[in-house]
Amino acid sequence: MTISTESTTATISIRRRLILKNFLSLLAGGLVERVINLFTSVYARRVLGVIAIGQVSWAGSVVSYFELLVNPGFQVIAKREVARDPDRAEHYVMLLALLQGILAALSFGLAVAFTLVVPRPAEVRLLIILYALGLFLKPLDLSWLLQAHERMMPLAAASAVSSVLHALSMILLVHEPAHVVRYVLLAYPFRLGLYGFMLYYGLRYRLLDWHSLRPTLIGGWNLLHSALPIGLSQVAILLYYNSDAIFLGFTHGDEVVGLYSTAYNLMLVPNMLLAGAMLSAYFPALSRVARDADNARRVSGEFLKAMVWLGFPIAALGWALGRHVIVFLFGQGFAPAGPLFEWLSLNTALIFFNVGYNQPLNAWNAQKLVFYCTLAGAISNVAANVILIPRFGPWGAVATTILAELVVMISTIWMRRSLYSLNWHRTLLAGIAVALPTAIVTRLLNTQIHWCISATVGLVMYGIGVIAFEKQNVLMLYSRVVKREYCRYVGNEQR
C-alpha cells in the first residue's frame, strides 16, 4: 500500500511538471507570437485606418463560419485519440487531410456564392474571397499532432518565428489603406512555412512514419459523428463571438465595426494566449483520466483553479484601465473603442471560467454537453443582437456578448453537475474576492496617478491576494520553476 501510494504521488508530480513545462513552453512561444501579432495589429490599424479595418474584420468574421466547415471538431477528436494511442497517428493524419481537403473546396465555393448575394461593397466581397483562399491551407495543419504528443516547445517556437517574419513583411509592404489586399494575402506564405515545419518535425522525430501514410477515408463517418457536437459548439461560439460584428456591419457601417472589432479583438488576446496555452497543456492529461473519477476531479480542479487565477486579474485591470491601453496602442483615432474595451474586459473572467469548467468535457467524450452549453449562449446572443444592436449599436453588442457568456456559464454548471462535478463556487468566489477590490482600487487610483503606476499597484494587490488564498500552490510552483530540481527534470525529459 505504501509503495503504491508513493508511486501514485510520484506519477502525479511528474505529470504536473510535464503540464507545467508544456504550459510555460506554449506561454513563452505564444507570448512572443501574440506580442508580434499585437504589433502587426497596431501597425495595421495605424496605416490602414478605421474603415479599412472594419472591412477586413467584417470579411474575416464571415469567412470564419466557412472555416468551421473545414474543421468541424476533427482536430480535437484526432488529438484526443492520438494522445491515448500514438500508433493511430498516421491514420488520423491522412483521414483529416482528405476530409478537410474535400470540405475546403466545398466551403470555398459557398464563400464565393455568398459574395454574389451579400449587399456589401465590392471591396468587401473581394476580401471575403481572399480570406476564403486560406481554407485550402487548413488540411496541412498538424498542430494537433504535436499537441497530442505534448511537443509544445517546438510548436510554440516555430509559431513565434513565423509571426516575426510576417510582421517584418508587413512593415516592408503595407503602408496605406490601398494595401489592404496585401495585408490579407501576406499571411499565407508564412502559414505554409509553419505547416511545412510541423510535417518535417513529425517525420524527423517519428511522430509519424512516412511509409505508413496511406490515403484513407476509413473511419471518416465515425470521426464526423464524434466531431459533429464539437463543430456545432464551435458554430455556436462563433455566433456569439462574431455575429455582433456582422450585425453592426449591416446596421452601423464599417467605421463602427472597426472600433468595436478593435476593442473585441484586444479583449481576446489574453484569452487566446493564456487560456489556449493552458488548455493545450492540460488536454492530454485530461484525456487520459477520463475513466478515473478521482483523478478526473483532481486534474480538472487544478485546471479550473489555474484558469480563474489567470483570467480574473486581466478582467479587473482591463475594466479599470482599458481606455488608456487602446489609445496607447492604436492612437487617438481609436479612442472611442476604449470604453467598449473596458466593459468587454469583464467578459474575460467569464471566458476563463467557462473554458476551465466545460472544456474538460471534450476530453471525456462528453462533447455533446459542451454543444448544448454553447448553443444556449448562441441563441441568447443572436436574439439579443436582433433587439439591442439596431437600437444601441456597439454598446448593445457589448451587452449581448457578456449575456451570452453568462448563459454559457450557467448552462455549463448545470450540465456538469453529474459528471465529475467540482466545488466550483469556492474557486469562483476566491477569484472574485481578489479581483473585485483590485479593479475598484486601480480605477480610483487612475484618476490620481499615471495609469501605468495604477496597473502596477493593481498587479501587486492581486498577487498578494493569490498568495493569501493559494500559499501552498504558489510555493510549489516556485519550487518547480526556480529550483534546480525542475531544471534537472526538464533536461531528463529532453534526453
Side-chain angles (χ1 to χ4, degrees):
M1 179 66 70
T2 303
I3 295 176
S4 177
T5 302
E6 291 177 353
S7 176
T8 301
T9 302
T11 301
I12 292 172
S13 179
I14 292 173
R15 177 56 52 195
R16 285 175 173 171
R17 290 176 178 179
L18 183 57
I19 290 172
L20 178 61
K21 186 189 84 168
N22 286 330
F23 170 69
L24 292 176
S25 298
L26 284 170
L27 182 60
L31 184 60
V32 173
E33 183 180 358
R34 294 302 172 190
V35 168
I36 297 299
N37 289 343
L38 181 60
F39 169 79
T40 58
S41 175
V42 171
Y43 178 80
R45 279 164 171 76
R46 288 182 178 269
V47 300
L48 296 179
V50 176
I51 294 177
I53 288 297
Q55 294 173 341
V56 167
S57 299
W58 195 88
S61 297
V62 169
V63 174
S64 61
Y65 291 94
F66 296 107
E67 185 175 352
L68 279 184
L69 293 177
V70 182
N71 180 34
F74 292 156
Q75 294 186 357
V76 175
I77 299 299
K79 177 169 64 175
R80 184 182 72 196
E81 297 305 317
V82 173
R84 296 173 180 173
D85 184 4
D87 292 336
R88 305 186 70 187
E90 292 82 8
H91 171 74
Y92 276 104
V93 166
M94 293 306 300
L95 181 58
L96 262 65
L98 288 175
L99 282 178
Q100 290 183 306
I102 295 170
L103 292 174
L106 174 62
S107 300
F108 182 78
L110 292 174
V112 172
F114 179 80
T115 63
L116 300 177
V117 298
V118 63
R120 297 286 284 157
E123 55 267 27
V124 176
R125 296 199 295 270
L126 174 61
L127 291 174
I128 291 175
I129 294 176
L130 296 178
Y131 270 121
L133 289 173
L135 299 174
F136 292 105
L137 301 182
K138 198 64 179 176
L140 305 177
D141 183 4
L142 295 180
S143 58
W144 61 269
L145 177 65
L146 274 67
Q147 291 170 0
H149 286 274
E150 299 182 274
R151 304 296 180 93
M152 314 301 186
M153 189 177 296
L155 178 60
S159 298
V161 170
S162 177
S163 297
V164 171
L165 296 176
H166 181 211
L168 292 175
S169 70
M170 277 192 56
I171 295 173
L172 293 173
L173 298 174
V174 179
H175 304 124
E176 58 185 49
H179 295 164
V180 67
V181 171
R182 297 183 193 177
Y183 171 73
V184 175
L185 292 178
L186 271 177
Y188 295 152
F190 302 101
R191 282 179 60 185
L192 274 172
L194 178 60
Y195 295 160
F197 168 80
M198 293 176 189
L199 178 60
Y200 164 78
Y201 187 91
L203 295 172
R204 172 68 176 79
Y205 292 94
R206 298 185 179 181
L207 308 183
L208 283 174
D209 181 3
W210 178 265
H211 301 289
S212 299
L213 293 174
R214 298 287 187 275
T216 181
L217 287 174
I218 296 175
W221 177 254
N222 291 334
L223 176 62
L224 181 61
H225 183 266
S226 299
L228 187 60
I230 297 176
L232 293 175
S233 296
Q234 292 172 342
V235 171
I237 290 171
L238 270 183
L239 281 174
Y240 65 81
Y241 271 28
N242 287 345
S243 65
D244 44 8
I246 294 174
F247 271 89
L248 285 170
F250 284 120
T251 61
H252 288 76
D254 293 329
E255 183 174 358
V256 173
V257 174
L259 293 171
Y260 178 78
S261 64
T262 296
Y264 192 89
N265 290 335
L266 186 60
M267 181 270 293
L268 287 181
V269 168
N271 300 300
M272 297 173 68
L273 172 61
L274 293 172
M278 187 64 74
L279 177 59
S280 295
Y282 264 94
F283 195 88
L286 289 166
S287 298
R288 296 185 187 108
V289 298
R291 296 178 178 85
D292 185 338
D294 291 338
N295 278 326
R297 288 191 177 91
R298 176 185 56 78
V299 176
S300 64
E302 292 175 1
F303 179 52
L304 176 63
K305 189 175 292 187
M307 295 299 291
V308 166
W309 290 121
L310 281 174
F312 279 40
I314 300 169
L317 296 180
W319 177 80
L321 307 167
R323 66 189 63 197
H324 301 286
V325 177
I326 288 286
V327 172
F328 173 76
L329 291 175
F330 306 116
Q332 284 293 336
F334 286 87
L340 299 174
F341 173 65
E342 288 180 343
W343 289 97
L344 280 171
S345 294
L346 298 180
N347 201 50
T348 298
L350 299 173
I351 291 175
F352 271 74
F353 178 87
N354 288 340
V355 171
Y357 206 55
N358 72 17
Q359 285 305 300
L361 298 174
N362 281 331
W364 299 335
N365 291 1
Q367 51 264 31
K368 287 185 179 179
L369 298 182
V370 180
F371 166 62
Y372 298 147
C373 297
T374 53
L375 180 62
I379 292 173
S380 64
N381 180 258
V382 173
N385 281 342
V386 172
I387 298 171
L388 297 180
I389 287 181
R391 183 174 180 181
F392 298 104
W395 285 108
V398 171
T400 61
T401 296
I402 296 175
L403 171 65
E405 210 66 52
L406 279 171
V407 171
V408 172
M409 178 181 177
I410 295 170
S411 302
T412 296
I413 292 170
W414 176 258
M415 289 293 180
R416 199 178 152 179
R417 69 192 188 282
S418 59
L419 183 61
Y420 308 147
S421 61
L422 298 174
N423 194 7
W424 57 268
H425 60 275
R426 293 186 63 181
T427 301
L428 179 64
L429 291 176
I432 293 174
V434 178
L436 183 59
T438 298
I440 294 173
V441 170
T442 304
R443 189 154 183 146
L444 290 175
L445 284 176
N446 184 46
T447 62
Q448 306 295 326
I449 57 180
H450 194 274
W451 67 273
C452 289
I453 301 176
S454 301
T456 303
V457 173
L459 286 173
V460 171
M461 280 187 61
Y462 193 83
I464 293 172
V466 172
I467 293 173
F469 277 93
E470 301 288 344
K471 182 178 179 179
Q472 181 176 357
N473 287 328
V474 170
L475 291 175
M476 181 174 61
L477 180 65
Y478 172 82
S479 69
R480 289 177 181 170
V481 175
V482 177
K483 288 188 177 180
R484 292 182 180 179
E485 66 181 70
Y486 178 73
C487 297
R488 289 197 300 269
Y489 168 76
V490 173
N492 293 334
E493 282 290 307
Q494 290 175 341
R495 288 195 292 271

